[in-house]
Amino acid sequence: MRFRPCIDLHDGKVKQIVGATLESGSVAENFVSERSAGDYARLFAADGLSGGHVIMLGKGCEAAAAEALAAYPGGLQIGGGIRANNAADFLALGASHVIVTSAAFRDGSLSLDAIAEISEAIGAAHLVLDLSCVPTANGYRVAANRWKTVTDTEVTPAMLARLEPWCDEFLIHAVSVEGRKAGPDLALAALLATYAKNGKPVTYAGGIATIADLDAFAESSGGAVDYTIGSALDLYGGSLAYAALAARSATGK
């Protein structure tokens, strides 16, 4: 179980926002940093934290993203507006992987053709599928279109296994708790662990705000699922110590 750091970009700045408000016309900002994306990337590189995420939340983030990738070549993944026709450009800038969300869907449904198109363009070894989801009466359903559209695709171990040939990792945001610092979705963590124990790497995002939350997540996931933390981290205005998580990750806990 590894800590995957994140650099979320909005309007060209490093921010932490409540993701569900991104398209509301009034974005809820938890934190706006005075430090550059490159500053954070260099910190993560110094601490040996690979596999973190640079997420471009809307337009105007390309320069900041390029700065981060250049500061930690091969150490960061990038997502936000990634498609088959631009994915290779970000790999050339230094990303280890591209993270695909909306481009994996066509007509509101997960599309194997769309996924295959991107995978074939850059190679499955460089593709991360973001299947962020919400809990419903019919299981966890993938949310697309900046989390506004709940699709008919259910996140299950069998579904993740079917997608393995086209990607290298999965990133799962728990949309209902993302950015709210109110604790992780432990049921989702347990579900993901069922797949991750024998599948490809899975990173969970959403709600982890304290060491107690992290311990509960570790128990629910059996240590099989990686995690990322945003708003709760002291780097981003929260109280959870980044240094403690970096040290903990070095031990695999």
Side-chain angles (χ1 to χ4, degrees):
M1 187 175 85
R2 292 193 298 154
F3 168 48
R4 306 282 198 107
C6 65
I7 303 172
D8 288 352
L9 301 172
H10 181 249
D11 289 339
K13 297 181 179 180
V14 177
K15 296 183 182 181
Q16 285 293 312
I17 68 174
V18 179
T21 69
L22 189 59
E23 295 293 327
S24 68
S26 179
V27 174
E29 296 178 342
N30 288 331
F31 176 80
V32 180
S33 180
E34 295 181 356
R35 301 173 66 181
S36 74
D39 289 338
Y40 287 100
R42 284 184 283 273
L43 174 63
F44 302 151
D47 289 332
L49 295 172
S50 61
H53 314 109
V54 179
I55 304 297
M56 299 181 291
L57 300 169
K59 297 179 180 180
C61 298
E62 292 80 2
E67 178 189 354
L69 297 178
Y72 192 3
L76 295 167
Q77 304 171 357
I78 188 163
I82 306 296
R83 299 186 178 279
N85 62 1
N86 67 0
D89 296 337
F90 289 100
L91 296 179
L93 288 172
S96 65
H97 297 70
V98 297
I99 303 167
V100 169
T101 310
S102 298
F105 292 82
R106 288 180 180 165
D107 298 323
S109 297
L110 193 69
S111 168
L112 291 182
D113 288 342
I115 293 169
E117 180 181 358
I118 300 170
S119 183
E120 290 167 4
I122 59 170
H126 297 292
L127 180 59
V128 177
L129 290 177
D130 180 347
L131 301 175
S132 301
C133 60
V134 296
T136 73
N138 298 307
Y140 286 93
R141 302 283 172 165
V142 175
N145 188 24
R146 297 188 185 274
W147 302 347
K148 293 186 297 182
T149 304
V150 179
T151 72
D152 58 1
T153 301
E154 183 180 1
V155 175
T156 66
M159 184 273 281
L160 296 176
R162 285 197 300 272
L163 297 177
E164 280 187 356
W166 292 281
C167 69
D168 195 47
E169 298 186 12
F170 296 98
L171 173 62
I172 312 290
H173 288 81
V175 175
S176 62
V177 297
E178 173 72 20
R180 303 186 187 279
K181 296 185 282 188
D185 185 330
L186 298 180
L188 178 58
L191 184 155
L192 297 176
T194 302
Y195 163 79
K197 288 175 182 177
N198 297 298
K200 293 192 173 182
V202 178
T203 300
Y204 166 94
I208 298 174
T210 66
I211 292 298
D213 286 342
L214 186 54
D215 288 340
F217 174 81
E219 182 176 356
S220 294
S221 66
V225 180
D226 293 343
Y227 62 96
T228 187
I229 298 174
S231 298
L233 210 59
D234 59 356
L235 292 180
Y236 301 126
S239 59
L240 192 53
Y242 162 81
L245 297 185
R248 180 170 178 151
S249 187
T251 68
K253 296 181 179 179

